[in-house]
């Protein structure tokens, strides 16, 4: 599948299933550690090195850097690069891609918040049931 990249040229990329990702810094996850050089990352996702540099300039991803300043890409970065390719194939420009990635990341955060709130609500419901039972017993109805 060809990507007509707004950054530089037409390149091939892997447009397979993509897990949403935006930031390449998953703290505490092996997926967030930058291990791939730009040449390897470009080959793995099927795009050009200049495209990847352009995506970084546009703020679409931020790879790790070695002490000497060499870019190092993580599995999360590769996932983001694949997602960028899919969005470009769908006709978005880089500004649109950036906005979609930001919204997807925000949505993941809200989903996680919602999951935590649901768990907390379930705990409160359990506490409430226990308190009602205790109140009923204290009133002599239990």
């Amino acid at each position: 599948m060809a990507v007509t990249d707004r950054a530089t040229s037409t390149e091939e990329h892997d447009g397979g299933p993509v897990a949403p990702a935006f930031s390449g810094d998953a703290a505490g996850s092996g997926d967030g550690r930058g291990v791939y050089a730009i040449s390897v990352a470009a080959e793995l996702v099927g795009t050009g090195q200049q495209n990847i540099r352009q995506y970084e300039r546009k703020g679409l991803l931020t790879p790790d850097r070695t002490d000497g300043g060499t870019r190092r890409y993580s599995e999360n970065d590769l996932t983001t690069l694949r997602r960028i390719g899919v969005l470009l194939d769908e006709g978005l420009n880089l500004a649109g891609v950036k906005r979609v990635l930001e919204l997807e990341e925000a949505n993941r955060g809200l989903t996680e918040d919602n999951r935590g709130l649901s768990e907390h609500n379930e705990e409160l419901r359990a506490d409430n049931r226990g308190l009602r039972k205790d109140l009923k017993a204290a009133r002599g109805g239990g």
Side-chain angles (χ1 to χ4, degrees):
M1 163 173 12
V3 173
T4 305
D5 190 339
R6 287 26 171 211
T8 54
S9 63
T10 302
E11 299 281 344
E12 292 292 311
H13 82 281
D14 176 11
V18 178
F22 183 51
S23 62
D25 57 334
S29 167
D31 290 342
R33 194 178 93 227
V35 294
Y36 302 108
I38 193 169
S39 59
V40 175
E43 185 175 337
L44 288 172
V45 301
T47 192
Q49 294 178 35
Q50 289 300 323
N51 295 341
I52 295 174
R53 289 184 189 99
Q54 178 72 6
Y55 303 154
E56 184 181 353
R57 282 190 297 273
K58 295 290 185 178
L60 301 179
L61 77 158
T62 306
D64 290 341
R65 297 275 185 160
T66 64
D67 290 341
T70 303
R71 294 172 177 89
R72 291 289 182 224
Y73 294 88
S74 67
E75 288 295 329
N76 289 341
D77 292 326
L78 298 182
T79 301
T80 299
L81 288 167
R82 289 183 184 105
R83 182 69 178 136
I84 291 168
V86 168
L87 293 170
L88 290 170
D89 278 352
E90 291 176 0
L92 276 70
N93 62 21
L94 291 180
V97 169
K98 182 175 183 180
R99 187 67 180 136
V100 167
L101 293 176
E102 290 168 347
L103 291 169
E104 288 175 344
E105 185 169 325
N107 189 48
R108 280 190 301 280
L110 292 171
T111 299
E112 187 62 32
D113 290 348
N114 198 23
R115 191 172 298 122
L117 290 171
S118 293
E119 291 169 5
H120 183 68
N121 281 343
E122 198 53 45
E123 293 169 10
L124 291 174
R125 284 188 194 101
D127 289 347
N128 193 14
R129 284 189 296 272
L131 291 171
R132 286 176 189 250
K133 183 178 176 183
D134 291 347
L135 181 59
K136 187 175 181 181
R139 290 181 176 167

